Amino acid sequence: MHPFFQDLQQGSQKLGLTLSDEALNLLLKYQDALVLWNKAYNLTAIRDPKEMLVKHLLDSLSILKDLPEGRLLDIGTGGGMPGMIIALCQPERQCVLLDSNGKKIRFLKQFIADLKLKNVVAVQTRVENVDSINELGKFDVITSRAFASLTDFIAASRPFMHENSIIASMKGLIPEEEVEQHKNEFSCEIIALTVPRLDEQRHLLLLKQI
């Protein structure tokens, strides 16, 4: 058994999730691969696996039960958070992980190939790239953990949206001024999240076009 198996299992249960042993083991394989690649490629500033478990795996898992269904795009996925974690837990969901950083996308492509994952692809491009936008099409759910500004995330999401798409923005503090700025265009449901062993505020903002 993986040394962090029980920690991950207990943490996911505290989030209200019932993940199979297979999903938990896949998540830990992903974390092990991230730790290994991080030594050479600096994919994430967090180096300690115990800290990764909380700040990457459990933090990403915290949005899972509130995430709308459908084809998902993770913009600015970095090393795969939260997109890869969602894909590993929900094999029925098609996920596209987008980032402009070549090293991070190479890591994700290698991991996808090694595990023969069928429901997730990693794409290296900038969100402004028109050809990529046309090629990737529209998504039901667009998520990100990377954007400091909600306004910037909305702008990056627009080309990938159809009329019923939902933007799922992971935030620490609620960006109340930005929510107010967009209230005439988007309804916003704000969900408070509690991540086990993380003493920081976390929120999920679900924005839908009015």
Side-chain angles (χ1 to χ4, degrees):
M1 185 187 285
H2 193 285
F4 292 142
F5 183 88
Q6 285 186 311
D7 288 340
L8 182 57
Q9 186 177 50
Q10 288 165 3
S12 63
Q13 285 168 352
K14 282 179 183 168
L15 290 168
L17 302 171
T18 307
L19 298 178
S20 66
D21 287 2
E22 184 186 10
L24 293 166
N25 281 317
L26 283 173
L27 289 168
L28 291 166
K29 276 184 184 174
Y30 164 69
Q31 177 169 301
D32 288 345
L34 192 59
V35 169
L36 189 67
W37 276 64
N38 210 29
K39 288 172 182 169
Y41 294 102
N42 195 26
L43 302 178
T44 166
I46 297 171
R47 304 217 165 270
D48 175 30
K50 274 191 177 174
E51 202 180 347
M52 264 189 198
L53 186 80
V54 175
K55 292 191 173 175
H56 286 336
L57 293 196
L58 293 177
D59 189 46
S60 295
L61 287 170
S62 69
I63 69 169
L64 208 59
K65 67 182 193 334
D66 295 302
L67 208 56
E69 292 181 358
R71 185 169 180 249
L72 179 136
L73 175 66
D74 181 17
I75 298 180
T77 192
M81 283 80 67
M84 179 60 81
I85 289 161
I86 294 164
L88 293 174
C89 294
Q90 298 182 334
E92 72 287 351
R93 187 197 291 268
Q94 293 298 314
C95 299
V96 176
L97 315 183
L98 204 64
D99 206 281
S100 60
N101 184 303
K103 290 185 298 186
K104 293 173 180 178
I105 292 297
R106 271 200 301 282
F107 159 67
L108 291 170
K109 284 185 170 179
Q110 187 63 54
F111 184 74
I112 290 165
D114 288 347
L115 270 74
K116 300 181 173 60
L117 300 172
K118 303 288 186 219
N119 67 317
V120 55
V121 292
V123 179
Q124 183 189 350
T125 189
R126 303 192 70 81
V127 285
E128 306 84 359
N129 184 324
V130 176
D131 291 340
S132 296
I133 290 167
N134 293 335
E135 200 176 305
L136 292 171
K138 307 293 184 187
F139 292 82
D140 304 304
V141 185
I142 301 163
T143 193
S144 182
R145 208 171 76 139
F147 281 81
S149 157
L150 180 64
T151 299
D152 289 349
F153 180 35
I154 289 171
S157 300
R158 283 186 200 280
F160 300 102
M161 296 178 73
H162 55 68
E163 61 181 16
N164 294 315
S165 298
I166 292 175
I167 293 175
S169 177
M170 295 180 73
K171 287 286 172 196
L173 300 172
I174 301 166
E176 291 180 17
E177 284 184 16
E178 287 188 290
V179 171
E180 183 71 16
Q181 278 172 25
H182 296 282
K183 70 176 184 181
N184 294 329
E185 192 182 358
F186 291 93
S187 65
C188 181
E189 181 186 357
I190 299 172
I191 299 163
L193 306 169
T194 304
V195 180
R197 290 187 283 163
L198 187 64
D199 189 23
E200 295 172 25
Q201 284 200 45
R202 286 286 187 270
H203 293 89
L204 176 66
L205 276 56
L206 297 177
L207 290 94
K208 191 168 184 189
Q209 293 173 101
I210 295 169

